Amino acid sequence: DHGFGYVSLYAHLNKYEAKRGQKVKRGEVIGYVGNTGRSAGPHLHYEIFKDGKKINPLNFYYGNLSSEEFDVLLSLANRENQSLD
């Protein structure tokens, strides 16, 4: 729970470092990517909710991509059933 109605969800982790309700800072390790369910390989399931409604998590991506790389990522993410693994 990030406050102001924002909540993030991380699933398919192999191991959790953070506990539910624990305060964490940007860059802290919260868990390790795993391979659970019927997945074909290790991956992360990441969702963002605002006031209980799903919103595109790509809007919250923080990394060292160039603007061109981010545009490609955005284009791929907007495809139906597209995995960004």
Side-chain angles (χ1 to χ4, degrees):
D1 184 339
H2 303 277
F4 306 102
Y6 290 95
V7 174
S8 59
L9 177 139
Y10 302 84
H12 300 293
L13 295 176
N14 181 46
K15 179 181 175 188
Y16 291 87
E17 289 293 327
K19 305 279 187 246
R20 183 182 299 263
Q22 176 183 338
K23 290 194 182 281
V24 295
K25 295 179 183 173
R26 182 187 304 253
E28 279 188 73
V29 174
I30 61 168
Y32 299 93
V33 173
N35 183 16
T36 62
R38 293 183 279 176
S39 64
H43 68 288
L44 172 67
H45 183 96
Y46 172 59
E47 293 183 23
I48 297 288
F49 297 86
K50 170 67 170 138
D51 299 325
K53 296 181 181 176
K54 288 183 185 181
I55 58 176
N56 190 342
L58 191 59
N59 298 327
F60 300 90
Y61 181 78
Y62 179 80
N64 54 359
L65 297 177
S66 69
S67 60
E68 292 81 14
E69 291 169 324
F70 184 82
D71 287 342
V72 169
L73 185 61
L74 183 60
S75 174
L76 290 171
N78 285 321
R79 291 184 186 169
E80 193 71 24
N81 296 319
Q82 175 65 40
S83 172
L84 297 176
D85 293 345

